[in-house]
Amino acid sequence: LPRDAHHQLVITMTTTTLVALVACVLIVIYGVALAWQHRRYPGEPPVLFSWVPFLGSALDLAKDPYLFVRSQRRKLGEVFVAHVAGQRMVFVCDQVAARKCLARADLSFAAVIDKIHVKALAMLPEEAKVFPNADIHRQYTEFLLKDSSLNELSRKASDRIDAIIQRDKAKYTTSTTLDLYEDVVKKIIFEASVDVMFGPGLAKVLDVETLGRLADDFDTDFPKMVAGVRPSKGTRARSVLAKLFLEASYEDGASAFVRARLAMFRAMAKEGTIQAWDKKTDHRLPMQVASEIGLLFGIVTNTMPAAFWTVYYLIRLNDASFLAAVRHEVRANPADPDAWPHLESAVTEAFRLAWGGFHTRDTIKAGSQIPNTTYHLRLGDRVTLFPTLVHVDDGHFPDPLTFNPYRFLTDNDKKINKKSDINVFGGGVSMCPGRRFAQREIKMCAAKLLHHFDITLQDPKTLLPGALISQGAGRGMYPPNSSVPVALSYRA
């Protein structure tokens, strides 16, 4: 061969060899990654296979959580492992085992919260490690569970909801393009919740509509942020909310609960346990600011869709005798939402149909055994429970996809069955401490709308139950996936 041709042949062969070597190395690395991801030791649950290292089943889970868990349960059994964005998730589908998991000391919700603080709320990692979970829980118990303080907070919420309805009733009754969720329920719950919990100070810096849009952006991207992704909308919303909590003077008008939290954080800063309120570093937030964003998110993210589904199902059903019973109970005990059994039954039924969230616990002791099984867990395994499997199971609830507002009534429709298989508030020591206030606010919003207005659906189509709508994983109560146009007429 000519010298130049020979030189070119050597280069080509060398390049081909290098490409082949790199390809072989990559194949070996890929194979090792797959083998490592799917390794299963004796006594461990079956592992769901995925061809995608690290991401694993993340896309399938995000696409349709209910279909994913149900189908894998059929293939692999009541307990199985799926790799999701680098996390080993152990799905426990058996109801008895799931309930026992919630009460186990070696399965920690605090460990889950620590990761949420750092990834979603951008809390400084060193401060997340010293977050006063026990003290915060005591404050929730003191201000949101005890009747004395809860009744005062509920009264303020009731008054605020009334004021919003009276202020906007002309708009409600004259508009022909109202969306039941976006224009009515969501705005009432959000404005009332923010005002009652944080006082009027936030709205003096940022109007409620803008604040609501930021909360929406943060809520939508929250699951991605928990997974360690930094989506632009959610990250920007978090940054603007952080600036709001840094600059707004809201403590004086805030609830006793918020004032107690701020006092505790201030004391921790004075002791040097955490940074001062106004410190901020490289997209990281001090504990106080991150916690306030988390509280804002927590008080509205599930109550808004829960109130919507309650009202939607009731007006769609249009059961005149049930609505009459609801209105009678509200008139008879206007200041006591706990004395409205018909509405509480309807709210519980809405929770059953529209809840699509997971309950998660991190394993903090290697070798822990999953209740009611012979399977063992690894340190760091995320035990994942999915109540929807029970909520839409006809073995537990006959005709499970039908909204039946009478389902939870007992004692001649005078009481509620408190021992049902509904599980939306978790369990054990980490059971949602804000549950009583949330339930009261949902009932008050629904009661006042049904009391003050006749609401007519403009579109005859039926929305699917929220839990069965493919809107991605990581949410609790699912909002509707389409608009719900309604007409409202004021009841004298």
Side-chain angles (χ1 to χ4, degrees), residues 132-151:
N133 285 302
D135 292 334
I136 289 288
H137 202 278
R138 278 193 291 272
Q139 289 177 350
Y140 270 108
T141 301
E142 175 68 29
F143 295 105
L144 297 183
L145 286 176
K146 287 187 177 178
D147 283 339
S148 54
S149 48
L150 176 63
N151 289 342

Side-chain angles (χ1 to χ4, degrees), residues 434-488:
R435 60 190 179 275
R436 288 191 67 194
F437 178 67
Q439 287 173 308
R440 285 188 176 189
E441 191 174 36
I442 292 164
K443 285 187 282 186
M444 288 187 293
C445 178
K448 291 173 188 299
L449 283 172
L450 294 170
H451 176 73
H452 288 298
F453 300 98
D454 286 318
I455 307 173
T456 307
L457 291 171
Q458 302 289 76
D459 188 340
K461 73 179 180 184
T462 302
L463 291 177
L464 283 171
L468 306 185
I469 299 172
S470 303
Q471 295 187 77
R475 308 189 76 143
M477 287 294 285
Y478 281 78
N481 65 346
S482 62
S483 62
V484 183
V486 291
L488 282 71

Side-chain angles (χ1 to χ4, degrees), residues 61 173 208 212 217 230 250 360 378 386 388 409 412 430 456 472:
L61 179 63
T173 54
V208 174
D217 289 344
R230 291 184 59 192
Y250 63 93
T360 55
R378 298 181 194 174
F386 193 40
T388 299
L409 287 170
N412 294 321
S430 59
T456 307

Side-chain angles (χ1 to χ4, degrees), residues 358-380:
F358 297 116
H359 297 316
T360 55
R361 301 289 186 270
D362 277 2
T363 307
I364 58 175
K365 181 182 177 183
S368 294
Q369 187 169 336
I370 300 171
N372 284 31
T373 75
T374 58
Y375 294 131
H376 291 83
L377 296 162
R378 298 181 194 174
L379 182 68

